Amino acid sequence: MSLMNSPTRVTVGDANYMDWTGVNNHYRTAYKVDDQKSVMDVALISNMDPVNIGLACSDKPGPVTSLKPRKKTMTSVYLKFFETAVDGKTRRCKFCGQSYSIATATGNLGRHLANRHPGYDKSGDAVSNSAARPITVVKKSQPPGKANQVDYDHLNWLLVRWLVLTALPPSILEEKWLVNSYKFLNPSIQLWPSDKYRTVLDEVFRSMREDVRALLEQVSSKLSITLDFWTSFEQIYYMSVTCQWIDENWCFQKLLLDICRIPYPCGSTEIYRSLVKVLKFYNIETRILSCTHDNSTSAMHACHTLKEDLDGQKIGPFCYIPCAARTLNVIIDDGLRSAKQVISKIREFVIELNASPVISEDFIQISTAYQEGMWKFPLDISARWSGNYQMLDLVRKAGKSVDAVIRKYEEMLGSRMLLGSSDKSVVSIMHQYLEPFYKTTNNICTSKVPTVGLVLFFMDHISETINSCRESRHSPEWLKNAAEEMAKKARNYIHQVCNIFTYMTAILDPRIKGELIPDSLNSETLLDEARSHFIRNYSTSHFSSMSSGYNAQEIEEAGSVSFAEEIARKKRRTTMSSATDELTQYLSEAPAPIPTDVLEWWKVNSTRYPRLSVMARDFLAVQATSVVPEELFCGKGDEIDKQRICMPHDSTQEILCIKSWIQVGVKFKFKSTEIDYERLMELAAAAAATDNSPASSDKKPK
């Protein structure tokens, strides 16, 4: 079935619009076409208008849809596809604008047509026929007083980019008043129908996904994956699968693999099947070392089934671990439960504060006068941990200013917002108790590479903080009860992550080694097992084949923080015995300071530990969290949730995947054609500047 259709020619538009057709010869730098693809491949499907993305030409005919030109013996047959310049010195191709000397042999003109415009002779008279080529911008003769019109397919491609980066569905472009706004600018503007946008996005998704698969084939180390889940407004259950690894330059890499719809009944079996399908598509099922899930029972059981499957095939070790960030978030929620009402009252005041420039300015002046700190508006009012702590922090540090502002604007705000002495006492106790949690989450969010070892280090500190509260004679009973619930969740997490693979991952963090590991993990037995694993899988005899697999059991990890050195000084342990192999030598040296860049440390020291560094590349890629911590603890997550939940099913996979791939540098492609938007805009701006120059203005008819 032919992919070609007959779109109408581009006509002359309003004088205020940019003339893109004047730079057609340069668009090959903005639209990079693979040599093996024909420009006809930009047509979409037979019952839709082909997409004109402004391609000037392609270097060779394509193997799939290109039409082989019939060999011509008469030279005159080529000349009708060229027009002679006014000066009589050059001929210009009517398809792409390429100019040739008038003395150029007609055989060369024929080769130009065959190579760059295959099928030119089967489309009829390209000059007189009212149907223009789908890759060509053709101008009609322009009546006096009118300027060139922009190629509106370029506008549509810019809108494709906008849809992706803003995570909006194509249906938004059919909104009546948005269309009216474009018509106001120029009545001749024609936007694609939403079905065409969906078709384009689907093809872009397929093209970019193939590039992602090719990229993963080049990765030499083990891979770790993370799973995240959500339910859309259509009550469709989704799973995102993300892959992480450390490249040969010791740079951390992260790549979204897919967003899958989990079919009903959305249980562990459906999750397992969807996950395996993704791994097999990318051909990485034999190279996965770990999976970090979202702590849900279904995800945990799916990972367990995957582990049994991989163990049964003797592919190598595979482990699954819970998300440390989600665990910590649940622990904090237990701690906040007793202060929920007070926090809600404070939030109501802060909402009014953010909404009124007059009140917020008064608050700044009053807090300055009371020396209660500098406050930047708007304040965080999200219902996430960062927003809740902001409420406590405001009253704890600027309580007098809060009272003064509420009393000053009592008629507007009402006296209900005033905090009583008991409320302030709760705020003070909770703020003091939860401050270490805030520092921990803040450091996890800002850490460059949150490793399993560092997360275990901080989770151990969190457990100690909770236990101190439970045992303190000064803690009120309501806080001790909250701490009891928090302790249960902390113990459950530690129980799940404590195993030989977590131990190996932790000690390969040069800041942690064996000295700062939680007591529950630190044992001679685990050290002996780790040494045995290293010798068995990374010794000289196995060194060349290491990347293909291991032999072991489970692995897990968590997050990262930064007020750590203070805790580290209290917990340093004596170093280990003298070196007999790389692992022993590595562990015998003192840990690096907590602020050390882990990957940079290994990059510098990999020559000292050539085999151990390969093991470190594999294990340090294991993720402690299944989601970016900032998206869980901070208000940024609200926007991400909104985008996910509101996205209709027919656009979710394509738009969210394409957006993620663009952000990590995967080229935006339509079939084989790379769409270089930055270059496109540069050329458009140059064309506009030329059109608006005094010289071009003088040439315009009056």
Side-chain angles (χ1 to χ4, degrees):
M1 180 174 66
S2 173
L3 296 177
M4 298 299 296
N5 226 346
S6 298
T8 57
R9 298 175 185 234
V10 176
T11 57
V12 178
D14 184 75
N16 293 325
Y17 283 83
M18 206 179 291
D19 179 14
W20 295 55
T21 63
V23 292
N24 260 1
N25 285 340
H26 303 286
Y27 273 130
R28 295 183 68 237
T29 62
Y31 297 94
K32 302 170 185 176
V33 187
D34 290 356
D35 289 346
Q36 298 302 315
K37 288 286 185 180
S38 166
V39 290
M40 292 185 190
D41 285 346
V42 300
L44 294 178
I45 54 179
S46 59
N47 62 345
M48 295 172 58
D49 291 338
V51 178
N52 177 359
I53 59 173
L55 293 173
C57 55
S58 88
D59 297 325
K60 297 180 182 179
V64 180
T65 60
S66 61
L67 303 174
K68 295 182 179 179
R70 188 171 64 254
K71 187 174 181 180
K72 301 292 182 180
T73 57
M74 298 178 60
T75 57
S76 62
V77 80
Y78 304 129
L79 296 180
K80 65 181 178 180
F81 298 104
F82 293 82
E83 60 183 4
T84 304
V86 177
D87 59 8
K89 296 181 180 179
T90 59
R91 286 193 178 96
R92 181 174 176 274
C93 176
K94 294 179 180 179
F95 291 110
C96 65
Q98 177 70 47
S99 295
Y100 289 91
S101 167
I102 198 72
T104 300
T106 52
N108 290 335
L109 301 182
R111 280 188 286 276
H112 167 87
L113 293 171
N115 290 336
R116 297 194 173 186
H117 311 294
Y120 70 94
D121 56 335
K122 297 190 179 182
S123 61
D125 189 342
V127 183
S128 59
N129 195 318
S130 61
R133 302 286 298 163
I135 53 144
T136 311
V137 179
V138 184
K139 298 182 194 175
K140 290 183 178 179
S141 57
Q142 301 180 22
K146 289 197 175 182
N148 298 329
Q149 178 188 3
V150 65
D151 175 2
Y152 292 121
D153 274 339
H154 292 305
L155 170 63
N156 282 295
W157 275 97
L158 293 173
L159 290 175
V160 168
R161 180 83 168 194
W162 174 70
L163 289 174
V164 168
L165 296 181
T166 55
L168 291 171
S171 58
I172 196 72
L173 293 173
E174 293 184 331
E175 200 281 323
K176 176 181 176 181
W177 288 103
L178 179 63
V179 174
N180 287 345
S181 299
Y182 281 110
K183 294 294 184 182
F184 174 78
L185 293 174
N186 191 323
S188 64
I189 286 179
Q190 294 293 326
L191 301 184
W192 294 338
S194 60
D195 285 346
K196 179 176 281 191
Y197 282 111
R198 290 189 187 95
T199 304
V200 169
L201 287 167
D202 183 64
E203 187 56 53
V204 170
F205 167 75
R206 294 174 186 275
S207 298
M208 295 180 72
R209 186 168 60 168
E210 288 300 324
D211 287 350
V212 170
R213 179 158 61 176
L215 187 156
L216 289 173
E217 290 175 356
Q218 306 303 315
V219 177
S220 60
S221 63
K222 286 284 186 176
L223 306 168
S224 293
I225 58 174
T226 56
L227 308 180
D228 194 21
F229 300 85
W230 70 93
T231 303
S232 74
F233 76 99
E234 298 171 314
Q235 296 304 299
I236 296 176
Y237 192 51
Y238 289 101
M239 173 180 69
S240 67
V241 185
T242 306
C243 178
Q244 296 86 12
W245 72 94
I246 297 171
D247 67 20
E248 295 178 352
N249 294 318
W250 288 95
C251 294
F252 178 75
Q253 303 293 343
K254 178 179 178 180
L255 201 56
L256 176 66
L257 299 183
D258 209 345
I259 291 176
C260 315
R261 172 184 172 274
I262 306 299
Y264 181 83
C266 309
S268 59
T269 301
E270 291 73 31
I271 292 174
Y272 164 74
R273 289 172 180 168
S274 298
L275 177 57
V276 169
K277 184 177 179 181
V278 173
L279 300 180
K280 287 186 175 180
F281 175 84
Y282 288 102
N283 195 28
I284 59 175
E285 67 270 24
T286 62
R287 299 158 57 197
I288 298 297
L289 178 62
S290 73
C291 177
T292 308
H293 57 78
D294 72 336
N295 302 1
S296 66
T297 303
S298 296
M300 182 173 64
H301 288 168
C303 291
H304 182 73
T305 303
L306 179 61
K307 175 176 171 53
E308 289 181 333
D309 186 21
L310 296 177
D311 288 349
Q313 299 178 49
K314 302 187 182 300
I315 289 175
F318 170 80
C319 69
Y320 56 95
I321 59 176
C323 174
R326 292 190 182 280
T327 300
L328 188 54
N329 197 50
V330 172
I331 291 173
I332 291 170
D333 279 346
D334 281 342
L336 286 171
R337 190 166 291 121
S338 301
K340 285 292 185 183
Q341 289 186 343
V342 178
I343 291 173
S344 297
K345 187 184 292 188
I346 302 170
R347 180 175 284 109
E348 189 175 351
F349 166 70
V350 176
I351 289 173
E352 296 290 345
L353 206 58
N354 285 344
S356 172
V358 174
I359 300 178
S360 59
E361 183 60 35
D362 262 2
F363 181 87
I364 291 173
Q365 293 179 5
I366 293 171
S367 62
T368 302
Y370 281 134
Q371 296 184 341
E372 290 186 326
M374 300 294 295
W375 300 89
K376 184 178 180 180
F377 290 88
L379 299 176
D380 184 358
I381 58 172
S382 72
R384 295 175 184 266
W385 165 231
S386 62
N388 288 328
Y389 189 79
Q390 174 83 86
M391 303 302 103
L392 298 174
D393 201 49
L394 180 69
V395 173
R396 181 70 180 85
K397 295 179 179 177
K400 292 181 181 179
S401 302
V402 171
D403 287 346
V405 169
I406 292 175
R407 288 193 171 93
K408 181 175 181 179
Y409 294 94
E410 188 170 353
E411 288 188 10
M412 181 188 302
L413 302 177
S415 59
R416 69 186 186 284
M417 293 188 183
L418 283 171
L419 299 180
S421 58
S422 60
D423 291 337
K424 291 180 180 178
S425 175
V426 168
V427 168
S428 179
I429 293 171
M430 292 300 298
H431 185 274
Q432 181 180 1
Y433 174 54
L434 294 175
E435 187 174 13
F437 294 80
Y438 179 74
K439 289 181 178 179
T440 297
T441 55
N442 187 57
N443 280 269
I444 288 176
C445 290
T446 56
S447 176
K448 182 180 178 182
V449 182
T451 65
V452 169
L454 196 58
V455 167
L456 289 176
F457 168 73
F458 281 112
M459 291 298 285
D460 190 45
H461 177 64
I462 289 297
S463 295
E464 292 176 355
T465 301
I466 295 171
N467 290 332
S468 296
C469 175
R470 293 167 59 208
E471 298 168 1
S472 173
R473 294 184 296 106
H474 303 291
S475 298
E477 200 62 32
W478 58 266
L479 185 59
K480 286 186 176 181
N481 291 336
E484 190 63 42
E485 293 300 316
M486 298 167 78
K488 290 178 182 177
K489 293 179 173 63
R491 286 195 298 268
N492 183 53
Y493 171 79
I494 294 297
H495 174 73
Q496 291 185 60
V497 299
C498 284
N499 55 65
I500 176 57
F501 285 100
T502 306
Y503 175 82
M504 289 190 291
T505 305
I507 64 174
L508 289 171
D509 185 332
R511 302 166 298 183
I512 306 299
K513 295 191 174 181
E515 296 189 10
L516 299 182
I517 288 181
D519 291 335
S520 56
L521 260 183
N522 197 18
S523 72
E524 288 297 324
T525 301
L526 290 177
L527 176 59
D528 290 341
E529 288 185 47
R531 182 177 286 108
S532 174
H533 179 87
F534 169 65
I535 294 173
R536 183 170 61 249
N537 295 288
Y538 295 88
S539 64
T540 304
S541 59
H542 292 83
F543 194 67
S544 61
S545 59
M546 265 186 319
S547 60
S548 62
Y550 304 93
N551 325 312
Q553 307 137 352
E554 298 184 47
I555 184 165
E556 323 207 18
E557 91 173 11
S560 128
V561 185
S562 89
F563 68 101
E565 192 61 37
E566 179 182 351
I567 309 168
R569 294 193 189 104
K570 301 176 183 177
K571 304 185 67 172
R572 301 283 186 195
R573 301 188 181 98
T574 57
T575 57
M576 304 188 70
S577 57
S578 59
T580 56
D581 55 43
E582 284 186 21
L583 178 60
T584 306
Q585 173 64 37
Y586 163 78
L587 292 174
S588 69
E589 299 175 358
I594 292 296
T596 300
D597 184 324
V598 176
L599 300 186
E600 184 63 28
W601 189 95
W602 274 108
K603 182 177 182 179
V604 171
N605 289 276
S606 58
T607 53
R608 296 178 59 206
Y609 307 110
R611 296 171 179 81
L612 190 62
S613 64
V614 178
M615 182 177 174
R617 273 184 64 201
D618 289 343
F619 279 82
L620 289 177
V622 177
Q623 294 300 290
T625 64
S626 64
V627 64
V628 176
E630 186 181 5
E631 296 174 5
L632 185 64
F633 295 122
C634 305
K636 178 182 178 182
D638 292 333
E639 184 60 33
I640 293 173
D641 284 351
K642 179 182 175 182
Q643 290 178 354
R644 287 175 164 184
I645 293 170
C646 296
M647 184 70 68
H649 175 62
D650 59 7
S651 305
T652 296
Q653 182 187 41
E654 290 82 0
I655 286 185
L656 295 184
C657 285
I658 294 170
K659 179 180 181 180
S660 178
W661 292 335
I662 289 175
Q663 290 171 340
V664 297
V666 180
K667 299 299 184 183
F668 191 99
K669 281 189 174 182
F670 178 77
K671 297 188 177 179
S672 63
T673 306
E674 178 189 337
I675 315 254
D676 188 340
Y677 279 97
E678 291 183 5
R679 179 60 177 159
L680 190 63
M681 293 305 298
E682 289 174 4
L683 295 172
T690 302
D691 287 345
N692 294 328
S693 65
S696 63
S697 299
D698 293 342
K699 296 178 182 179
K700 291 180 180 178
K702 297 182 179 179

